[in-house]
mmCIF file of all heavy atoms in Angstrom:
data_model
loop_
_atom_site.group_PDB
_atom_site.id
_atom_site.type_symbol
_atom_site.label_atom_id
_atom_site.label_comp_id
_atom_site.label_asym_id
_atom_site.label_seq_id
_atom_site.Cartn_x
_atom_site.Cartn_y
_atom_site.Cartn_z
ATOM 1 N N ALA O 82 -54.581 98.687 -75.852
ATOM 2 C CA ALA O 82 -54.956 99.555 -76.958
ATOM 3 C C ALA O 82 -55.059 98.744 -78.249
ATOM 4 O O ALA O 82 -54.233 97.860 -78.496
ATOM 5 C CB ALA O 82 -53.939 100.678 -77.136
ATOM 6 N N ASN O 83 -56.087 99.048 -79.027
ATOM 7 C CA ASN O 83 -56.209 98.440 -80.352
ATOM 8 C C ASN O 83 -56.677 99.494 -81.346
ATOM 9 O O ASN O 83 -56.887 100.648 -80.989
ATOM 10 C CB ASN O 83 -57.133 97.216 -80.331
ATOM 11 C CG ASN O 83 -58.595 97.560 -80.171
ATOM 12 O OD1 ASN O 83 -58.954 98.521 -79.500
ATOM 13 N ND2 ASN O 83 -59.459 96.754 -80.758
ATOM 14 N N GLY O 84 -56.786 99.098 -82.615
ATOM 15 C CA GLY O 84 -57.155 100.060 -83.647
ATOM 16 C C GLY O 84 -56.161 101.210 -83.640
ATOM 17 O O GLY O 84 -54.981 101.041 -83.344
ATOM 18 N N LYS O 85 -56.669 102.397 -83.949
ATOM 19 C CA LYS O 85 -55.797 103.575 -83.941
ATOM 20 C C LYS O 85 -55.381 103.978 -82.530
ATOM 21 O O LYS O 85 -54.518 104.825 -82.352
ATOM 22 C CB LYS O 85 -56.477 104.726 -84.660
ATOM 23 C CG LYS O 85 -56.591 104.468 -86.158
ATOM 24 C CD LYS O 85 -57.156 105.640 -86.888
ATOM 25 C CE LYS O 85 -57.225 105.324 -88.387
ATOM 26 N NZ LYS O 85 -57.822 106.432 -89.141
ATOM 27 N N VAL O 87 -53.540 102.312 -80.638
ATOM 28 C CA VAL O 87 -52.128 101.953 -80.401
ATOM 29 C C VAL O 87 -51.199 103.139 -80.629
ATOM 30 O O VAL O 87 -50.067 103.130 -80.152
ATOM 31 C CB VAL O 87 -51.669 100.727 -81.222
ATOM 32 C CG1 VAL O 87 -52.470 99.484 -80.873
ATOM 33 C CG2 VAL O 87 -51.699 101.001 -82.698
ATOM 34 N N LYS O 88 -51.688 104.170 -81.324
ATOM 35 C CA LYS O 88 -50.863 105.347 -81.549
ATOM 36 C C LYS O 88 -50.522 106.078 -80.254
ATOM 37 O O LYS O 88 -49.604 106.889 -80.222
ATOM 38 C CB LYS O 88 -51.547 106.297 -82.532
ATOM 39 C CG LYS O 88 -51.588 105.730 -83.945
ATOM 40 C CD LYS O 88 -52.189 106.722 -84.898
ATOM 41 C CE LYS O 88 -52.143 106.187 -86.331
ATOM 42 N NZ LYS O 88 -52.646 107.180 -87.283
ATOM 43 N N THR O 91 -46.929 105.646 -79.585
ATOM 44 C CA THR O 91 -45.942 106.064 -80.592
ATOM 45 C C THR O 91 -45.858 107.578 -80.645
ATOM 46 O O THR O 91 -46.835 108.252 -80.323
ATOM 47 C CB THR O 91 -46.329 105.546 -81.991
ATOM 48 O OG1 THR O 91 -47.554 106.142 -82.382
ATOM 49 C CG2 THR O 91 -46.425 104.038 -82.047
ATOM 50 N N ALA O 115 -50.303 96.294 -76.631
ATOM 51 C CA ALA O 115 -50.726 96.812 -77.926
ATOM 52 C C ALA O 115 -51.190 95.650 -78.801
ATOM 53 O O ALA O 115 -50.555 94.598 -78.838
ATOM 54 C CB ALA O 115 -49.573 97.539 -78.607
ATOM 55 N N CYS O 116 -52.272 95.874 -79.510
ATOM 56 C CA CYS O 116 -52.829 94.868 -80.411
ATOM 57 C C CYS O 116 -51.899 94.641 -81.595
ATOM 58 O O CYS O 116 -51.583 95.579 -82.347
ATOM 59 C CB CYS O 116 -54.197 95.336 -80.899
ATOM 60 S SG CYS O 116 -54.941 94.247 -82.128
ATOM 61 N N GLY O 117 -51.467 93.405 -81.788
ATOM 62 C CA GLY O 117 -50.596 93.067 -82.896
ATOM 63 C C GLY O 117 -51.270 93.254 -84.242
ATOM 64 O O GLY O 117 -50.628 93.670 -85.212
ATOM 65 N N ASN O 118 -52.565 92.967 -84.320
ATOM 66 C CA ASN O 118 -53.295 93.167 -85.582
ATOM 67 C C ASN O 118 -53.323 94.643 -85.969
ATOM 68 O O ASN O 118 -53.110 94.995 -87.134
ATOM 69 C CB ASN O 118 -54.727 92.626 -85.471
ATOM 70 C CG ASN O 118 -54.766 91.129 -85.377
ATOM 71 O OD1 ASN O 118 -53.919 90.433 -85.911
ATOM 72 N ND2 ASN O 118 -55.758 90.616 -84.665
ATOM 73 N N ALA O 119 -53.570 95.498 -85.003
ATOM 74 C CA ALA O 119 -53.576 96.950 -85.269
ATOM 75 C C ALA O 119 -52.178 97.429 -85.649
ATOM 76 O O ALA O 119 -52.023 98.261 -86.546
ATOM 77 C CB ALA O 119 -54.078 97.708 -84.053
ATOM 78 N N MET O 120 -51.168 96.894 -84.961
ATOM 79 C CA MET O 120 -49.796 97.272 -85.300
ATOM 80 C C MET O 120 -49.486 96.897 -86.745
ATOM 81 O O MET O 120 -48.885 97.702 -87.478
ATOM 82 C CB MET O 120 -48.815 96.613 -84.336
ATOM 83 C CG MET O 120 -48.856 97.192 -82.933
ATOM 84 S SD MET O 120 -47.799 96.298 -81.756
ATOM 85 C CE MET O 120 -46.180 96.526 -82.498
ATOM 86 N N ASP O 121 -49.904 95.706 -87.159
ATOM 87 C CA ASP O 121 -49.681 95.278 -88.540
ATOM 88 C C ASP O 121 -50.390 96.222 -89.517
ATOM 89 O O ASP O 121 -49.826 96.631 -90.525
ATOM 90 C CB ASP O 121 -50.162 93.846 -88.757
ATOM 91 C CG ASP O 121 -49.287 92.812 -88.083
ATOM 92 O OD1 ASP O 121 -48.150 93.152 -87.677
ATOM 93 O OD2 ASP O 121 -49.750 91.663 -87.926
ATOM 94 N N ALA O 122 -51.648 96.555 -89.211
ATOM 95 C CA ALA O 122 -52.439 97.411 -90.090
ATOM 96 C C ALA O 122 -51.835 98.815 -90.197
ATOM 97 O O ALA O 122 -51.952 99.473 -91.239
ATOM 98 C CB ALA O 122 -53.881 97.507 -89.593
ATOM 99 N N LEU O 123 -51.217 99.278 -89.112
ATOM 100 C CA LEU O 123 -50.604 100.614 -89.095
ATOM 101 C C LEU O 123 -49.117 100.574 -89.426
ATOM 102 O O LEU O 123 -48.428 101.595 -89.331
ATOM 103 C CB LEU O 123 -50.822 101.263 -87.726
ATOM 104 C CG LEU O 123 -52.284 101.540 -87.351
ATOM 105 C CD1 LEU O 123 -52.413 101.913 -85.890
ATOM 106 C CD2 LEU O 123 -52.864 102.631 -88.255
ATOM 107 N N ASP O 124 -48.619 99.398 -89.800
ATOM 108 C CA ASP O 124 -47.226 99.193 -90.166
ATOM 109 C C ASP O 124 -46.276 99.604 -89.044
ATOM 110 O O ASP O 124 -45.288 100.315 -89.258
ATOM 111 C CB ASP O 124 -46.892 99.937 -91.464
ATOM 112 C CG ASP O 124 -45.655 99.378 -92.144
ATOM 113 O OD1 ASP O 124 -45.373 98.166 -91.979
ATOM 114 O OD2 ASP O 124 -44.951 100.160 -92.826
ATOM 115 N N LEU O 125 -46.584 99.146 -87.807
ATOM 116 C CA LEU O 125 -45.771 99.430 -86.640
ATOM 117 C C LEU O 125 -45.053 98.169 -86.167
ATOM 118 O O LEU O 125 -45.570 97.070 -86.329
ATOM 119 C CB LEU O 125 -46.644 99.967 -85.496
ATOM 120 C CG LEU O 125 -47.392 101.267 -85.734
ATOM 121 C CD1 LEU O 125 -48.362 101.537 -84.597
ATOM 122 C CD2 LEU O 125 -46.409 102.422 -85.908
ATOM 123 N N THR O 126 -43.886 98.352 -85.565
ATOM 124 C CA THR O 126 -43.160 97.259 -84.936
ATOM 125 C C THR O 126 -43.004 97.576 -83.461
ATOM 126 O O THR O 126 -43.267 98.694 -83.023
ATOM 127 C CB THR O 126 -41.754 97.077 -85.561
ATOM 128 O OG1 THR O 126 -40.964 98.225 -85.229
ATOM 129 C CG2 THR O 126 -41.829 96.894 -87.078
ATOM 130 N N LYS O 127 -42.508 96.620 -82.693
ATOM 131 C CA LYS O 127 -42.274 96.852 -81.273
ATOM 132 C C LYS O 127 -41.313 98.024 -81.064
ATOM 133 O O LYS O 127 -41.450 98.775 -80.098
ATOM 134 C CB LYS O 127 -41.752 95.582 -80.597
ATOM 135 C CG LYS O 127 -41.623 95.747 -79.094
ATOM 136 C CD LYS O 127 -41.312 94.467 -78.378
ATOM 137 C CE LYS O 127 -41.140 94.788 -76.894
ATOM 138 N NZ LYS O 127 -41.212 93.664 -76.048
ATOM 139 N N ASP O 129 -41.277 100.699 -82.555
ATOM 140 C CA ASP O 129 -42.008 101.961 -82.709
ATOM 141 C C ASP O 129 -42.781 102.348 -81.449
ATOM 142 O O ASP O 129 -43.348 103.439 -81.384
ATOM 143 C CB ASP O 129 -43.018 101.849 -83.860
ATOM 144 C CG ASP O 129 -42.346 101.641 -85.208
ATOM 145 O OD1 ASP O 129 -41.333 102.331 -85.463
ATOM 146 O OD2 ASP O 129 -42.835 100.803 -85.984
ATOM 147 N N LEU O 130 -42.799 101.473 -80.442
ATOM 148 C CA LEU O 130 -43.597 101.692 -79.236
ATOM 149 C C LEU O 130 -42.753 102.227 -78.081
ATOM 150 O O LEU O 130 -41.544 101.989 -78.025
ATOM 151 C CB LEU O 130 -44.264 100.384 -78.800
ATOM 152 C CG LEU O 130 -45.104 99.650 -79.838
ATOM 153 C CD1 LEU O 130 -45.617 98.330 -79.243
ATOM 154 C CD2 LEU O 130 -46.238 100.503 -80.349
ATOM 155 N N PRO O 136 -46.581 93.945 -77.219
ATOM 156 C CA PRO O 136 -47.561 93.551 -78.224
ATOM 157 C C PRO O 136 -48.214 92.227 -77.830
ATOM 158 O O PRO O 136 -47.580 91.361 -77.228
ATOM 159 C CB PRO O 136 -46.721 93.377 -79.497
ATOM 160 C CG PRO O 136 -45.448 94.114 -79.235
ATOM 161 C CD PRO O 136 -45.215 94.019 -77.765
ATOM 162 N N VAL O 137 -49.495 92.097 -78.151
ATOM 163 C CA VAL O 137 -50.233 90.834 -77.983
ATOM 164 C C VAL O 137 -50.823 90.496 -79.340
ATOM 165 O O VAL O 137 -51.008 91.382 -80.178
ATOM 166 C CB VAL O 137 -51.337 90.963 -76.902
ATOM 167 C CG1 VAL O 137 -50.730 91.163 -75.518
ATOM 168 C CG2 VAL O 137 -52.327 92.069 -77.218
ATOM 169 N N PRO O 138 -51.087 89.219 -79.630
ATOM 170 C CA PRO O 138 -51.591 88.862 -80.961
ATOM 171 C C PRO O 138 -52.836 89.660 -81.373
ATOM 172 O O PRO O 138 -52.899 90.178 -82.476
ATOM 173 C CB PRO O 138 -51.903 87.370 -80.838
ATOM 174 C CG PRO O 138 -50.973 86.893 -79.755
ATOM 175 C CD PRO O 138 -50.885 88.045 -78.784
ATOM 176 N N SER O 139 -53.815 89.754 -80.476
ATOM 177 C CA SER O 139 -55.007 90.555 -80.766
ATOM 178 C C SER O 139 -55.529 91.153 -79.466
ATOM 179 O O SER O 139 -55.495 90.500 -78.419
ATOM 180 C CB SER O 139 -56.098 89.710 -81.429
ATOM 181 O OG SER O 139 -56.740 88.866 -80.489
ATOM 182 N N ALA O 140 -56.002 92.372 -79.542
ATOM 183 C CA ALA O 140 -56.538 93.030 -78.339
ATOM 184 C C ALA O 140 -57.809 92.329 -77.879
ATOM 185 O O ALA O 140 -58.005 92.150 -76.678
ATOM 186 C CB ALA O 140 -56.812 94.506 -78.608
#
Side-chain angles (χ1 to χ4, degrees):
N83 72 327
K85 291 185 179 178
V87 299
K88 290 184 177 184
T91 64
C116 175
N118 291 329
M120 289 174 61
D121 289 345
L123 296 169
D124 201 29
L125 298 171
T126 67
K127 185 171 177 163
D129 296 317
L130 306 177
V137 293
S139 76

